[in-house]
Amino acid sequence: MRWAAYAHPLVGGLVLGLLFFVGSLGLRSRSWPKARAVYLRRHALLGPWVCVAVLSAHVSGLGAVWWARDDLVVASSGHFRTGSVLVLLLLLLFMSQPFMHRAEVRQLHPWIGALALLVAGAHVFFGLQLTR
């Protein structure tokens, strides 16, 4: 099961790249008023898929530690903690989707998204510390 130790970082890198892309769509919708509708539609379409992908990557990370990393304890690192916070933030963003018609949700959503991107950056940092 040595491949499991390499599968999670590769899949995680792709998932975090997609996460940053979806975040950039939300940001671009605020910066480019003429293309706002296009960016928001793509952001809303890809957002739930990113949430599922991050959750799957989180579970695959647990599996990678369980099956392939005897030197690590499951769920004990800063990488696991930041991954868990990232999953919670993305689930919160996903659950806010039906309430986007409310002004306070529309104002809070981008701040939670920005926090998720910052946590994703910290997640990469802590993950790089675990590489051999």
Side-chain angles (χ1 to χ4, degrees), residues 42-130:
R42 288 180 187 163
H43 180 78
L45 179 70
L46 292 174
W49 291 103
V50 169
C51 189
V52 169
V54 168
L55 184 58
S56 299
H58 190 60
V59 170
S60 79
L62 287 171
V65 170
W66 184 265
W67 287 309
R69 296 292 302 265
D70 296 335
D71 58 325
L72 297 176
V73 178
V74 175
S76 65
S77 67
H79 185 66
F80 174 78
R81 287 185 206 104
T82 56
S84 298
V85 169
L86 183 59
V87 166
L88 291 174
L89 287 171
L90 291 178
L91 286 173
L92 181 62
L93 289 168
F94 175 72
M95 290 186 310
S96 73
Q97 191 174 9
F99 305 102
M100 290 304 283
H101 63 279
R102 299 182 60 164
E104 57 272 5
V105 174
R106 277 195 318 275
Q107 290 174 352
L108 194 58
H109 184 90
W111 289 103
I112 297 171
L115 179 60
L117 293 177
L118 288 173
V119 169
H123 188 65
V124 171
F125 172 76
F126 287 119
L128 290 174
Q129 292 178 347
L130 297 176

